[in-house]
Amino acid sequence: MILYGFRALANHIDLLPSDIERLQTSDWDIICTFEEFQNLVKSFGNDILYAKPSFPTKYYIKTSKGNYDISIINDNTSSNYMIYETLTSKCSNIITDKYNNEMIVAPFGLLFLMKKSHLFIRKNFKKHIEDYYRMRDVMHKHSVYKYIEIYEKRLAETLERAKKQTAHINL
């Protein structure tokens, strides 16, 4: 399983006081295989308070110990597949949730490009742009070049999804 989003970012940055509060309420954003998804759900036991599909291959699960926004890899052409294949073969930065599920933390450079791909949609724009500028300010310490192909795929998927969800931002 791959952890991305703010929880992953918190492993790479110096946290501000406002980040501590945000981290406590932040979702566990996960990319995983279907088998890993099944094991994750089993680990929750009877602690699932709410669960719903949010896309054909996404699920949102609320537990008493946290909320999980889960993307299940469904084909080998998606950016999620590219991320999963890239990180599971090389990464050693592991984090464990309160259910003892281990997840690979996405590297900063990849998180930066994932955030950049979200700047073209209205939903949560203020949060995305603030995170993006904060990440951009420390980007010089990290490499993004090895993730450019993933970024291009992710951006195309985000724009396609945005057509269905919301209007583009007119900059």
Side-chain angles (χ1 to χ4, degrees):
M1 286 187 282
I2 309 297
L3 178 68
Y4 68 101
F6 188 73
R7 284 191 179 272
L9 179 60
N11 286 270
H12 298 289
I13 60 173
D14 295 327
L15 296 177
L16 303 172
S18 60
D19 293 333
I20 304 300
E21 183 178 325
R22 182 176 171 190
L23 191 57
Q24 292 171 351
T25 60
S26 184
D27 292 345
W28 291 82
D29 296 304
I30 298 169
I31 297 170
C32 64
T33 65
F34 184 70
E35 182 180 346
E36 289 171 330
F37 171 71
Q38 289 175 311
N39 291 333
L40 182 68
V41 171
K42 284 179 191 172
S43 76
F44 299 150
N46 293 328
D47 197 27
I48 296 176
L49 306 174
Y50 176 81
K52 76 169 190 158
S54 56
F55 271 103
T57 58
K58 286 193 75 156
Y59 286 86
Y60 184 80
I61 299 176
K62 181 177 181 137
T63 72
S64 66
K65 297 178 184 177
N67 301 328
Y68 292 76
D69 197 354
I70 306 158
S71 297
I72 302 169
I73 299 166
N74 65 333
D75 67 65
N76 62 1
T77 62
S78 69
S79 64
N80 283 340
Y81 176 80
M82 295 168 73
I83 291 166
Y84 189 87
E85 286 297 304
T86 301
L87 299 185
T88 54
S89 63
K90 301 178 193 174
C91 256
S92 59
N93 188 1
I94 306 289
I95 192 170
T96 305
D97 71 0
K98 294 179 180 179
Y99 297 96
N100 293 318
N101 296 298
E102 290 186 347
M103 298 165 216
I104 297 169
V105 178
F108 185 89
L110 179 58
L111 292 171
F112 175 76
L113 292 176
M114 291 173 81
K115 183 59 71 176
K116 186 177 177 181
S117 76
H118 282 77
L119 296 181
F120 299 94
I121 55 176
R122 287 183 193 264
K123 186 177 180 185
N124 298 320
F125 179 75
K126 185 177 186 292
K127 177 185 76 158
H128 289 306
I129 197 73
E130 287 171 357
D131 287 348
Y132 172 77
Y133 279 120
R134 184 172 172 195
M135 294 169 78
R136 189 190 70 175
D137 290 344
V138 296
M139 194 57 233
H140 63 279
K141 300 177 186 176
H142 304 276
S143 174
V144 298
Y145 299 107
K146 57 187 168 188
Y147 306 118
I148 294 298
E149 188 178 341
I150 294 172
Y151 165 72
E152 290 170 350
K153 180 71 171 173
R154 189 90 174 177
L155 177 59
E157 292 168 353
T158 300
L159 292 174
E160 189 60 36
R161 205 170 52 244
K163 288 179 191 176
K164 299 173 186 167
Q165 289 181 336
T166 183
H168 291 290
I169 296 169
N170 183 355
L171 300 176

